[in-house]
Amino acid sequence: MCAICVGLQNNIETSKILEGIGEFELTKNRMEIIEREDNVKIINDSYNANYDSMRAGIEYLGMTKDTRKIAILGNMGELGDYTKELHEKVGEEIYKNNIDILITVRRICKNF
């Protein structure tokens, strides 16, 4: 509805507005759920990780009925003085949501 209102306010034809809405794609790597044939579900939430997005992904994983839950997490960048605190809070979320295995990955150089 917001997109339609903005389009109409900018004198864009309704057909063009609807065409644009129909072609819209969400940001890749944001709660992208991939279900494989071998009964493995992958939740890809790797776009610009922050505490809120990690917590949401971990909570979703925790609510699934799957037998084994594995989280593979990268570090959250650009947190400044909150880096240690927010990474520790992610660890608390892993524990609260009964994640079986945690694998952490960190970029060690700019070209990797």
Side-chain angles (χ1 to χ4, degrees):
M1 293 303 296
C2 289
I4 292 171
C5 290
V6 170
L8 293 174
Q9 287 293 314
N10 287 287
N11 300 315
I12 299 172
E13 295 175 27
T14 304
S15 62
K16 292 288 186 187
I17 296 169
L18 296 176
E19 181 182 326
I21 292 171
E23 294 174 359
F24 176 76
E25 290 185 25
L26 291 172
T27 303
K28 297 284 186 205
N29 304 326
R30 210 26 123 195
M31 285 305 287
E32 181 181 0
I33 299 174
I34 304 158
E35 296 200 38
R36 296 183 357 178
E37 291 179 17
D38 57 356
N39 206 27
V40 171
K41 184 186 298 182
I42 299 170
I43 304 167
N44 181 0
D45 191 46
S46 59
Y47 178 81
N48 198 19
N50 58 60
Y51 172 70
D52 290 327
S53 68
M54 280 202 181
R55 186 185 72 223
I58 293 165
E59 286 176 351
Y60 179 84
L61 179 60
M63 290 187 304
T64 63
K65 303 287 186 225
D66 301 308
T67 56
R68 187 166 59 160
K69 298 172 181 81
I70 302 170
I72 303 173
L73 305 177
N75 66 312
M76 299 176 289
E78 303 174 9
L79 299 176
D81 294 338
Y82 300 99
T83 298
K84 184 177 187 299
E85 174 188 351
L86 291 176
H87 280 85
E88 287 174 351
K89 287 178 89 169
V90 168
E92 292 169 8
E93 293 298 325
I94 292 291
Y95 178 77
K96 281 190 336 191
N97 287 282
N98 298 308
I99 306 304
D100 299 302
I101 298 172
L102 171 63
I103 300 169
T104 59
V105 181
R106 180 171 187 246
R107 183 192 311 185
I108 55 174
C109 66
K110 290 182 180 181
N111 295 326
F112 178 66

